[in-house]
Amino acid sequence: MRCHPERSEGSVFVCLSAAGLKSRSFAALRMTTFRNEREWAIAPAPLHPFFYLLYLLNLLRLSWSLHGGTVTTTPPLAMPLGATLHTGDMSMADIVRYAQRAEALGMEGMWLLEESGKEAFATLGVLAGATSRIRLGTSIVSYFTRTPTLLAMAARTVDELSAGRFTLGMGAGGRGFIERGHGISGERSLRRAEEAVAITRGLLTSKRFSYEGEIFQVKEFRLREGPAAHRIPIILSALNPKMMALA
């Protein structure tokens, strides 16, 4: 599906996915639209050849730097770029090295896929202590495999560890990942997404929160640490018109 920047109240940026430069998986580009309230929607989008050229140049730059080359200056990027890693293919030391190099190159964010790799929030906690500027996020974790309350707790924790640099990206996840890996049904994804975002956001912003949904019921619950000091961005992945409309 094509993203529609004309429907966005904010900006458009390209996320550079440098998925396992040392592995056989090839990197991909995605265009992302987000709105002023910082609830973002992600969807694959065809890109102008310029973006692919920009992507290849930065991919070569990152690869050269990681394999012994030096980058003496970091020119301002024409648009925010971020790196996405399949963590299961890499050691923790390599993941830290990639995040630090991406930060040094002026990239906007480091986004971790989870699937069957390393647990995303624990890994981001490590990266939070190893970086100082780059944004850290999940791209994505599944709202089928964690309750909204657990997502809020994890988001609150990593955001504190990173001094406010965390973005929570959530989505359904692949059917094979959900059904074969976790042994659970992936039914009612749209409804679950709506409730997961509402509850997660409510717990992150309220002293006490209740929600009466079709799937989840939360009764006067609170995070012991209290609401987050600022509004933590939430990204909802979307591949169909109804999910895009929700996002």
Side-chain angles (χ1 to χ4, degrees), residues 29-185:
L29 278 173
R30 286 195 271 189
M31 180 174 286
T32 303
T33 67
F34 61 94
R35 292 178 276 176
N36 287 338
E37 63 270 25
R38 300 186 70 80
E39 304 287 353
W40 304 351
I42 301 179
L47 297 176
H48 189 278
F50 165 76
F51 292 135
Y52 287 103
L53 177 61
L54 182 65
Y55 158 71
L56 288 173
L57 288 174
N58 280 278
L59 187 62
L60 288 172
R61 204 158 158 252
L62 178 59
S63 181
W64 168 259
S65 180
L66 285 167
H67 290 84
T70 58
V71 178
T72 56
T73 60
T74 304
L77 297 174
M79 62 186 68
L81 296 176
T84 301
L85 298 177
H86 283 277
T87 58
D89 300 332
M90 306 172 66
S91 70
M92 190 65 76
D94 279 343
I95 294 170
V96 169
R97 191 161 58 97
Y98 269 68
Q100 291 174 333
R101 187 60 67 186
E103 182 173 72
L105 292 173
M107 290 189 176
E108 186 270 345
M110 173 62 68
W111 305 87
L112 297 189
L113 285 74
E114 190 173 58
E115 295 181 335
S116 58
K118 293 176 176 59
E119 200 278 334
F121 294 108
T123 306
L124 287 170
V126 173
L127 297 185
T131 59
S132 60
R133 180 201 57 79
I134 196 168
R135 190 148 201 92
L136 302 173
T138 54
S139 179
I140 57 171
V141 292
S142 175
Y143 47 66
F144 280 104
T145 60
R146 291 177 175 88
T147 66
T149 299
L150 190 57
L151 287 169
M153 292 165 59
R156 178 76 169 77
T157 301
V158 178
D159 191 67
E160 182 175 339
L161 288 171
S162 63
R165 292 181 286 134
F166 178 67
T167 295
L168 175 62
M170 68 170 80
R175 183 167 295 274
F177 166 72
I178 297 302
E179 295 183 353
R180 294 199 306 271
H182 289 270
I184 58 179
S185 171

Side-chain angles (χ1 to χ4, degrees), residues 10-31:
S11 305
V12 176
F13 70 94
V14 173
C15 176
L16 169 64
S17 173
L21 291 178
K22 298 195 298 182
S23 73
R24 287 176 294 178
S25 56
F26 191 74
L29 278 173
R30 286 195 271 189
M31 180 174 286

